[in-house]
Amino acid sequence: MALLGYIYKGRKPVHWSPSSGTALAEAELVYPEGHISRSIYAIFKVVGVKTSLLEEFRHNMCLAVWTTTPWTIPANAAVAVNAKLQYSVIEVQSSSEDESASTGNKKKMVGKVLKNQQKLFVIVATDLVPTLEAKWGVKLIIAKTFLGSDLEGFSLGPVVVGGDYITTESGTGLVHTAPGHGQEDYTTGLKYGLPIFAPVDDGGNFTEEAGQFSGLSVLGEGNSAVVSYLDENMSLVMEESYAHKYPYDWRTKEPTIFRATEQWFASVEGFRKATMEAIDNVKWIPHQAVNRITAMTSSRSDWCISRQRAWGVPIPVFYHVQTKEPLMNEETINHVKSIISQKGSDAWWYMSVEDLLPEKYRDKAADYEKGTDTMDVWFDSGSSWAGVLGKREDLTFPADLYLEGTDQHRGWFQSSLLTSIATKGKAPYSAVITHGFVLDDKGMKMSKSAGNVVNPRMVIEGGKDSKEAPAYGADVIRLWVSSVDYTGDVLVGPQILRQMSDIYRKLRGTLRYLLGNLHDWRVDNAVPYQDLPIIDQHALFQLENVVKNIKECYENYQFFKIFQIIQRFTIVDLSNFYFDIAKDRLYTGGTSSFTRRSCQTVLATHLLSILRVIAPIVPHLAEDVWQNLPFEYRNEDGSAAKFVFELKWPTLNEQWLSFPAEDILFWERLLELRTEVNKVLELARNGKLIGSSLEAKVYLHTADAGMASKLLQMCEAKNEADTLQRIFITSQVEVLSSMEKEMVSSVQHTGEYVAGENKVWIGVSRAEGSKCERCWNYSGQVGSFSDHPTLCGRCFSVIVASPPQPVVAAVVS
Ligand SMILES: [Zn+2]
């Protein structure tokens, strides 16, 4: 176990929870709103001056510090300055006025020393003099200015040079340093060989080492006692309440303290470089996440892995009864490991030391006792990859993907990474997805008391009032999940769910249309691709692009894009265009006519593809469709799919994708032209010239010869489905070669389609001829067939070629 090489015991400041009596990791802390600390400005008398620089002030000179934890003053070992900052000796002009004031929860109290008439010289950062003058309510006169480095080695204790954490953003620019009660203080302490003093016990009370404060709670009366003591001794300049982020124990919701205790640590320093390299080889989604994990891993201190909890996985260490020397090596670990793998981790607590020790140490069992510390739970979850990926045959290391909320950069993502790097030298995952949190529809955090919680079960099953809270079913909530950009926080509420339900119903409607129009379909009715009308080839080209794009989105975990693609495709490309036009062919083209069969070929392909690409998001809808498929379908390998998920993912059809580039552009323009034609038809409808668009005839004219010839070709298309009149759903279309004045002025409603430099003039008048009773198209042929005087030419041939079967005959056969 390579990890053992990185584990050591040490006495260092760690987050400590007095309320539950244990060390805590960063990930076990919360920062509730509204914590108020008693912050104080205190002064320490200088007893020894190193340089002659400040000789003149030596009898009355102090260093001023600011702290939000007065209780750490008894553990003060030094005052730290920033070597590069400018400092000043200031003369404090005493004030006899009582400056104590209280406004709201901002309490302010001026110390006795400011009311004293003695001359007082204090050292603070020069930049902060005006701020402090205002805060303390006294006049401060700069007597001398110098650099922080000039102060090094003053004695009060010592003045030491700290790091860049000492700034002039707040406080005095001098930092009281208690190496037993702060991470930065500890590092400074190590550098100067300062004592790591922490006179506080497990319950957060001062120990006897704290003298007169012994027994008092540091977060309560102990804190007050220290403030009073400082004031009595002319060392308190001012006290004021200070609101800031302060760490609380997430379990007990009580404040924590920072305190040096004996703990087990994993030396992150030992494998930090390998960790940083591994981070670069992982795919982070969204990509910015790499910055968070990098910052958190590069700056983190050694990992405190021991906890003082009554429950948890034990740290398998033995201590010598007399010397307290720990015994933990590969042999003892392996022995305990084999016991725990058989009996579970409780064995550590109920088995004797003798049984827990390997053979070699057994005769010395009486000299040892069991450690009682438990392991950080983040160590447990952080090693889940070993218990899962290493143990299950169908899984491989590293995992394809880890998925959790953004808060896990300092939690699970990091602890998993550290344990895996330490033991395997490799990240336990190839990719990591982080997501935001779900907020209500106004962007507020959900809480029971605010009454804004969206309960997924109620969304699915509905509430008591079915109008207020209808039962949307699981697919609607799944569709919503797919629709949001999960990389940030996401909103949900009744209005959003209602919209989602509408979108779901539209999708369902699309699938119903497909099913309905395929009721008589058999796979061998399919028209070969090369025989399909261009409109159908174009539809397959669009479908194939959609399938291709959706596949890419799934592979990149961009589900909201899939949602957008599907929504746009079903509404714009299918409902508003292809399906709308197809109705004429499907309903009037003749049951087994080429034109209907070619359309059904396209519809069947759409149904099978859409079904498969939406199944992961709306499985119930997809299964519902699959179970009601009106025709038999087999996978390419001949296997039957009993359930939708037994279908293979649609393979891309290169032929469908190879729709000629110039035709792609022409069809894009044609669809835009159709939109403009529809606008003119709308004008004609509003002008009462026509009702249905089939009552209209459309005129087009363009100076663009290429476009004109293509449009003309479409008016005379070989396949009826490709004719412009069908695409516009009008009865006639005429492409005019010139704009004769007489002609143009007789057209009542006109418009224009502009594509770059080219324009197409659009005119709408009433269709010529009479209305065909069967297809409602207008035609000059209506009335010319004596057997069927109410039919157009097309309907006449359909009726004559395949007369409708008598209903009775169908029943008899
Ligand atoms: Zn007709």
Side-chain angles (χ1 to χ4, degrees):
M1 186 174 167
L3 187 61
L4 199 55
Y6 297 114
I7 287 184
Y8 67 93
K9 194 161 207 266
R11 188 167 173 278
K12 290 162 67 164
V14 292
H15 289 285
W16 183 268
S17 168
S19 52
S20 57
T22 180
L24 294 176
E26 275 286 339
E28 293 166 289
L29 302 173
V30 288
Y31 296 84
E33 297 288 320
H35 179 89
I36 292 169
S37 289
R38 301 178 67 164
S39 82
I40 58 163
Y41 290 89
I43 49 175
F44 296 128
K45 202 159 168 38
V46 176
V47 290
V49 178
K50 198 181 71 173
T51 62
S52 55
L53 186 72
L54 300 170
E55 185 62 36
E56 53 185 302
F57 308 106
R58 66 173 305 160
H59 298 298
N60 253 327
M61 188 165 59
C62 297
L63 301 176
V65 299
W66 177 72
T67 177
T68 59
T69 50
W71 60 269
T72 59
I73 298 272
N76 186 63
V79 169
V81 295
N82 186 333
K84 293 171 220 145
L85 279 184
Q86 206 179 54
Y87 291 86
S88 293
V89 175
I90 49 169
E91 189 186 339
V92 180
Q93 301 265 324
S94 303
S95 128
S96 54
E97 287 168 56
D98 186 4
E99 287 287 339
S100 301
S102 174
T103 47
N105 58 6
K106 211 144 173 99
K107 240 176 89 189
K108 191 168 158 182
M109 186 191 90
V110 171
K112 287 192 172 73
V113 70
L114 287 192
K115 298 165 195 164
N116 192 336
Q117 294 307 311
Q118 263 190 347
K119 260 198 173 205
L120 177 64
F121 293 98
V122 175
I123 295 176
V124 296
T126 313
D127 286 351
L128 284 162
V129 172
T131 315
L132 294 172
E133 202 168 35
K135 247 189 197 312
W136 297 353
V138 288
K139 190 125 193 68
L140 302 178
I141 298 155
I142 295 180
K144 195 152 206 159
T145 295
F146 46 89
L147 268 184
S149 50
D150 293 327
L151 288 171
E152 193 174 13
F154 266 38
S155 50
L156 22 87
V159 172
V160 296
V161 170
D164 290 337
Y165 63 93
I166 301 168
T167 66
T168 54
E169 271 162 38
S170 61
T172 63
L174 295 97
V175 173
H176 119 74
T177 302
H181 292 299
Q183 190 52 47
E184 284 157 341
D185 298 20
Y186 174 78
T187 310
T188 305
L190 279 190
K191 188 175 158 199
Y192 286 90
L194 303 175
I196 314 299
F197 187 44
V200 180
D201 68 14
D202 291 355
N205 302 315
F206 278 119
T207 60
E208 279 176 16
E209 291 174 301
Q212 64 187 106
F213 305 117
S214 173
L216 301 178
S217 150
V218 299
L219 291 175
E221 47 197 356
N223 214 21
S224 305
V226 170
V227 175
S228 304
Y229 174 86
L230 290 170
D231 200 19
E232 294 305 319
N233 288 275
M234 297 296 165
S235 297
L236 182 75
V237 180
M238 200 193 95
E239 182 197 342
E240 100 184 306
S241 53
Y242 181 71
H244 62 144
K245 273 176 71 176
Y246 189 87
Y248 278 54
D249 180 343
W250 73 275
R251 291 191 71 241
T252 62
K253 305 279 187 290
E254 293 288 338
T256 62
I257 57 175
F258 223 61
R259 167 182 174 249
T261 57
E262 287 270 344
Q263 300 290 346
W264 287 92
F265 293 89
S267 163
V268 175
E269 206 45 63
F271 50 88
R272 197 189 306 274
K273 195 167 164 274
T275 310
M276 301 308 287
E277 282 165 12
I279 287 174
D280 284 341
N281 292 323
V282 170
K283 185 175 185 190
W284 299 92
I285 305 160
H287 187 68
Q288 311 85 279
V290 72
N291 302 330
R292 279 190 77 171
I293 189 94
T294 301
M296 287 194 174
T297 313
S298 64
S299 66
R300 71 158 296 152
S301 50
D302 283 354
W303 181 2
C304 174
I305 58 167
S306 49
R307 295 288 179 275
Q308 292 68 49
R309 295 231 189 252
W311 47 268
V313 175
I315 294 182
V317 59
F318 302 92
Y319 294 99
H320 194 273
V321 177
Q322 257 92 52
T323 66
K324 304 292 173 204
E325 196 60 34
L327 170 66
M328 181 163 64
N329 55 40
E330 225 159 301
E331 276 176 294
T332 64
I333 294 267
N334 284 338
H335 186 67
V336 174
K337 205 163 97 180
S338 70
I339 292 172
I340 286 181
S341 69
Q342 285 167 26
K343 306 185 176 183
S345 59
D346 272 2
W348 178 260
W349 310 116
Y350 66 73
M351 280 176 70
S352 68
V353 173
E354 197 176 359
D355 292 337
L356 288 166
L357 278 169
E359 195 68 53
K360 187 177 159 186
Y361 298 94
R362 212 154 280 173
D363 54 338
K364 294 180 203 139
D367 295 340
Y368 286 97
E369 57 190 10
K370 289 184 266 186
T372 56
D373 283 355
T374 55
M375 201 87 97
D376 177 9
V377 288
W378 291 97
F379 197 94
D380 298 358
S381 60
S383 50
S384 55
W385 55 266
V388 177
L389 302 176
K391 295 283 189 278
R392 297 193 193 168
E393 271 183 17
D394 53 335
L395 296 176
T396 52
F397 177 92
D400 293 334
L401 183 73
Y402 267 41
L403 167 73
E404 258 290 358
T406 48
D407 55 334
Q408 295 302 325
H409 288 114
R410 64 173 190 173
W412 190 47
F413 296 146
Q414 197 184 100
S415 61
S416 301
L417 183 64
L418 296 177
T419 58
S420 182
I421 295 289
T423 57
K424 292 216 156 197
K426 214 173 158 187
Y429 35 65
S430 304
V432 171
I433 288 185
T434 49
H435 56 78
F437 291 87
V438 180
L439 307 173
D440 78 1
D441 46 5
K442 292 177 193 73
M444 303 299 286
K445 203 174 151 183
M446 290 188 195
S447 77
K448 272 190 183 161
S449 54
N452 61 347
V453 176
V454 175
N455 177 353
R457 183 171 287 279
M458 211 202 276
V459 175
I460 296 167
E461 295 174 357
K464 277 188 195 125
D465 180 353
S466 64
K467 219 166 178 193
E468 278 290 303
Y472 288 121
D475 277 353
V476 169
I477 204 165
R478 292 179 67 102
L479 192 64
W480 168 76
V481 171
S482 83
S483 75
V484 296
D485 178 0
Y486 60 79
T487 58
D489 288 345
V490 299
L491 310 185
V492 71
Q495 184 60 30
I496 293 169
L497 288 165
R498 211 168 298 137
Q499 284 166 7
M500 213 41 71
S501 165
D502 289 346
I503 293 166
Y504 169 84
R505 263 187 273 132
K506 281 201 181 105
L507 182 57
R508 197 177 172 85
T510 300
L511 293 163
R512 282 173 64 103
Y513 176 99
L514 288 166
L515 284 175
N517 284 298
L518 290 165
H519 67 94
D520 60 342
W521 178 250
R522 291 203 334 266
V523 173
D524 52 14
N525 291 147
V527 173
Y529 178 80
Q530 61 275 14
D531 298 340
L532 290 174
I534 297 169
I535 187 174
D536 292 345
Q537 291 184 348
H538 181 255
L540 291 179
F541 165 74
Q542 284 192 314
L543 172 71
E544 218 51 6
N545 273 298
V546 163
V547 171
K548 188 175 157 207
N549 292 340
I550 285 180
K551 184 165 184 267
E552 278 170 17
C553 293
Y554 272 123
E555 281 165 357
N556 293 311
Y557 306 102
Q558 292 176 312
F559 308 115
F560 70 97
K561 283 196 183 164
I562 298 174
F563 171 83
Q564 287 165 2
I565 292 170
I566 280 286
Q567 208 195 347
R568 193 187 177 282
F569 182 58
T570 54
I571 293 173
V572 178
D573 298 322
L574 297 181
S575 295
N576 295 354
F577 180 65
Y578 190 83
F579 288 179
D580 206 14
I581 295 169
K583 284 172 194 159
D584 178 77
R585 280 203 262 172
L586 292 168
Y587 306 156
T588 69
T591 325
S592 56
S593 64
F594 166 82
T595 192
R596 182 160 179 270
R597 288 305 188 212
S598 74
C599 185
Q600 284 182 315
T601 304
V602 170
L603 297 186
T605 312
H606 276 68
L607 181 66
L608 290 166
S609 288
I610 293 172
L611 198 57
R612 285 181 280 184
V613 300
I614 63 164
I617 292 172
V618 282
H620 302 93
L621 175 59
E623 190 63 53
D624 195 7
V625 172
W626 186 245
Q627 296 304 329
N628 289 289
L629 198 72
F631 55 92
E632 202 188 341
Y633 178 78
R634 288 183 175 270
N635 281 315
E636 279 169 14
D637 62 4
S639 62
K642 209 174 162 198
F643 305 105
V644 71
F645 286 114
E646 286 175 351
L647 283 167
K648 302 280 186 292
W649 187 264
T651 43
L652 284 182
N653 187 316
E654 292 303 328
Q655 193 182 25
W656 299 354
L657 281 169
S658 65
F659 195 71
E662 71 265 25
D663 287 347
I664 297 173
L665 185 66
F666 173 71
W667 275 81
E668 262 176 38
R669 290 188 167 182
L670 183 64
L671 294 176
E672 287 167 4
L673 173 63
R674 183 177 184 265
T675 306
E676 294 306 317
V677 167
N678 281 339
K679 286 182 192 165
V680 185
L681 289 170
E682 188 60 30
L683 289 177
R685 196 171 293 123
N686 292 340
K688 310 275 190 231
L689 177 72
I690 58 166
S692 145
S693 63
L694 287 174
E695 291 168 28
K697 172 173 181 171
V698 172
Y699 294 96
L700 300 174
H701 172 77
T702 176
D704 177 348
M707 182 84 173
S709 116
K710 282 232 171 205
L711 291 172
L712 206 57
Q713 269 176 36
M714 288 196 69
C715 290
E716 297 148 6
K718 182 167 71 74
N719 279 309
E720 210 228 8
D722 284 335
T723 59
L724 269 186
Q725 75 204 55
R726 296 282 178 244
I727 286 169
F728 293 160
I729 318 182
T730 56
S731 284
Q732 290 117 22
V733 177
E734 190 179 336
V735 178
L736 302 171
S737 53
S738 68
M739 297 279 279
E740 291 167 46
K741 268 203 181 118
E742 205 177 327
M743 160 69 224
V744 170
S745 59
S746 70
V747 173
Q748 283 170 272
H749 299 282
T750 62
E752 194 174 48
Y753 164 62
V754 182
E757 289 176 11
N758 301 313
K759 293 173 182 172
V760 180
W761 175 86
I762 303 162
V764 166
S765 66
R766 265 199 77 87
E768 295 154 6
S770 313
K771 185 178 177 181
C772 166
E773 184 185 63
R774 184 168 175 273
C775 70
W776 297 3
N777 277 258
Y778 280 67
S779 165
Q781 295 168 312
V782 175
S784 57
F785 309 101
S786 50
D787 289 355
H788 297 282
T790 56
L791 293 187
C792 70
R794 176 188 54 172
C795 290
F796 178 76
S797 23
V798 169
I799 294 295
V800 169
S802 54
Q805 300 293 312
V807 178
V808 180
V811 173
V812 170
S813 68

